[in-house]
Amino acid sequence: QTTSLTVNRGGLLGGNGDIYGDVIVYGTISPGHSIGTLTVNGSVDFMPGSTYAVELAPGGISDLLRVNGEVTIDDARLLVSLRRSLYATGDRWRILEASEGIHGRFSSIDTTFTSETLSLRQQVYGGKMDLVLSRTPYVTFGDTENGTAVGAALDSILPTAAGSMAGLLINMDFAMARRQVATTLRELSPGM
């Protein structure tokens, strides 16, 4: 138990469990060992240059910082790790809860992955913050008639894709640059 805990620049506060007291973050907070929950019984202040690192997994499973107090975010960044899987527009993850409200937003969302098709945005409401996923449809990467047709077909099967088709779509989402996605669409048969 403490009245105040400071995470200095370059420092990391991570793991599961409870902290009793206020937390001032100049470094990084990362709940869980892999995915888990860290509870702060006090306030949390994300100071300029600080980082909140979270991991997301399929099915809305994510790290969570639960604060029994208020959270203030001042020019801090979010660092997101997203497990490789198929995701749909509107998939969401609860990453922050504060019983006395969330003041501010993270100034940037940085990811440990590169994707031309997937993006995340913050949604704050009622003392909760979710990350919500959006997809850029494959059809928009088509640069030929065939590529556009294949892209539209892949968009329509995305939620139910399995096996090698799911593997292809995951690679398109997580391992291909824009040009590679367009080339893949051009070279696939719409009949697939």
Side-chain angles (χ1 to χ4, degrees):
Q1 186 165 340
T2 180
T3 55
S4 180
L5 172 66
T6 300
V7 182
N8 291 319
R9 289 200 193 288
L12 170 66
L13 174 61
N16 299 305
D18 292 271
I19 295 171
Y20 294 90
D22 298 332
V23 177
I24 302 166
V25 185
Y26 293 93
T28 301
I29 286 187
S30 180
H33 297 290
S34 191
I35 291 182
T37 300
L38 183 63
T39 301
V40 175
N41 297 289
S43 65
V44 174
D45 291 313
F46 285 97
M47 305 306 285
S50 64
T51 301
Y52 178 32
V54 295
E55 184 178 349
L56 313 178
I61 299 168
S62 67
D63 286 328
L64 174 65
L65 180 60
R66 180 176 290 127
V67 180
N68 295 315
E70 69 177 356
V71 171
T72 303
I73 305 167
D74 181 11
D75 198 24
R77 77 180 185 128
L78 198 53
L79 178 61
V80 180
S81 172
L82 179 65
R83 291 190 187 163
R84 287 173 60 110
S85 187
L86 285 179
Y87 296 99
T89 290
D91 284 352
R92 66 177 49 235
W93 297 265
R94 172 77 35 83
I95 62 165
L96 184 58
E97 293 178 353
S99 64
E100 295 180 23
I102 298 170
H103 310 283
R105 291 176 178 259
F106 292 98
S107 57
S108 66
I109 299 176
D110 300 322
T111 59
T112 61
F113 63 95
T114 302
S115 179
E116 298 289 344
T117 57
L118 306 177
S119 62
L120 295 162
R121 65 180 167 81
Q122 305 164 69
Q123 186 175 53
V124 178
Y125 57 97
K128 297 171 177 60
M129 178 182 284
D130 290 354
L131 286 179
V132 182
L133 184 130
S134 295
R135 294 191 63 86
T136 300
Y138 295 125
V139 69
T140 62
F141 295 90
D143 58 4
T144 63
E145 188 175 331
N146 186 69
T148 301
V150 169
L154 292 178
D155 287 329
S156 70
I157 67 159
L158 178 70
T160 58
S164 60
M165 182 56 72
L168 171 66
L169 299 179
I170 290 168
N171 277 333
M172 289 172 66
D173 286 346
F174 287 92
M176 293 187 188
R178 175 172 287 279
R179 179 181 44 79
Q180 292 170 304
V181 173
T183 300
T184 301
L185 294 177
R186 207 178 311 122
E187 293 174 356
L188 287 174
S189 161
M192 266 181 76

